Structure formats: C-alpha cells, structure tokens
Amino acid sequence: MKTNRTNAARLLDHAKIAYELIAYKFDENDLSAPHVAEALNEPIEQVFKTLVLKGDKSGYFVCIVPGDSEVDLKKAAKVSGNKNCDLIPQKDLCSLTGYIRGGCSPIGMKKHFPAYIHETCLLYESVFVSAGQRGLQMRIGTVDLIKITKSETVDLIDEWGTV
C-alpha cells in the first residue's frame, strides 16, 4: 500500500531520524487507540496517543500518553506550570495543529507547543504515534521522539483511569 509522505515524515527525513510508516485500515466510527493497536497487532501500552490541552497560565501544550490510559488533568496542569487545564475542543484541533482527530501527530504541528510524554515510553526502544493522517502510524525510536518533540518525560496518567 502506497502511503503519502506526511508533514511528520518529511520533518523526520529532514532531521535524518529513522522511522517506519505503517498503514492500517481505520474505522471512521472508532478512531480510538485500542482500535489502532489492534489493527497494528501491537501492545496498546506501546501505541501512544497525542492530546492537545490548554492551560490557564501557559496556553496550549501537548501530552503524549499510552493508548490504554487517560491523561490526569491535575498532573498535566502541574507539570506544565498551570493550575488548571483541559483538552481543547475537537473543532479547534485542525486550525491549531494542522491535524485532524485520529490523525494528530506529536511531530510537525503548525506551531511547536511544549510537549510532555508519559514516562512509561522509556520502557520501550520504540513506540507508535500517529504519522499525521488517519490510517497511518509511525514506529519511532523513543529517544528520537523525545528529541524531535522536545518532550519532557513525566507522570501524566491516572493509574485508575486505564481503559
């Protein structure tokens, strides 16, 4: 299956960072990380989802969390220097990042936002993140993902909020 080069892939090519694009059949009605992990036949804990939040002090920032987890808004607020934060409205995602729901890559957004990745990423040599379009994931070395997104590794998830 031929895949289009996404902005995320072009940026990685330019930075000479190795990655692998993996196309999968997506379901418009189920864009969830568990569905993606199942389609890739990969462990859900290694398939990370990209969430964009807005803090009351810092403005927009990105959280990259394992697909079977929910971001803990209190923890996200604290690590990003905010008192409160919340997910941005879905309708604002494309204009803010250049990506749509189900295809939001932490790499190559319209503007760089502070990024935080859940610390369990360090358990894996590589992880999966959206490549910037629905039906396309990328496997990227964890250290390379942290470097290209300028992410800070922190505890972001609610231990009780796994799905």
Side-chain angles (χ1 to χ4, degrees):
M1 176 191 253
K2 186 179 181 326
T3 55
N4 296 326
R5 277 284 185 250
T6 63
N7 197 36
R10 283 190 290 277
L11 280 168
L12 292 173
D13 289 343
H14 182 73
K16 296 185 175 21
I17 293 175
Y19 64 94
E20 175 189 1
L21 288 178
I22 303 151
Y24 65 95
K25 189 169 173 49
F26 73 94
D27 178 352
E28 194 76 42
N29 298 314
D30 186 2
L31 298 170
S32 70
H35 176 76
V36 173
E38 187 180 319
L40 295 175
N41 198 24
E42 295 291 345
I44 185 71
E45 305 82 23
Q46 209 170 337
V47 177
F48 281 66
K49 56 189 176 184
T50 304
L51 305 170
V52 182
L53 294 89
K54 185 175 185 185
D56 61 342
K57 293 182 177 158
S58 71
Y60 300 107
F61 63 99
V62 176
C63 288
I64 308 161
V65 297
D68 63 343
S69 304
E70 295 298 325
V71 69
D72 181 316
L73 294 176
K74 283 189 172 90
K75 289 179 181 178
K78 188 175 180 183
V79 300
S80 62
N82 291 286
K83 273 192 176 167
N84 302 299
C85 67
D86 212 340
L87 291 167
I88 64 165
Q90 189 178 311
K91 65 178 176 48
D92 297 345
L93 186 65
C94 189
S95 61
L96 191 65
T97 66
Y99 292 125
I100 60 171
R101 181 175 162 264
C104 185
S105 179
I107 303 162
M109 292 184 181
K110 284 182 175 180
K111 180 178 179 243
H112 175 76
F113 297 109
Y116 305 91
I117 187 167
H118 187 63
E119 60 199 6
T120 56
C121 68
L122 298 172
L123 299 172
Y124 309 102
E125 196 174 304
S126 63
V127 293
F128 297 86
V129 294
S130 174
Q133 68 185 44
R134 291 177 180 167
L136 193 62
Q137 288 278 304
M138 63 173 50
R139 178 197 304 259
I140 181 170
T142 304
V143 172
D144 289 331
L145 177 63
I146 292 167
K147 186 171 89 178
I148 195 83
T149 59
K150 299 179 177 78
S151 290
E152 198 177 315
T153 54
V154 293
D155 177 13
L156 284 170
I157 63 171
D158 174 2
E159 297 86 62
W160 311 108
T162 55
V163 289

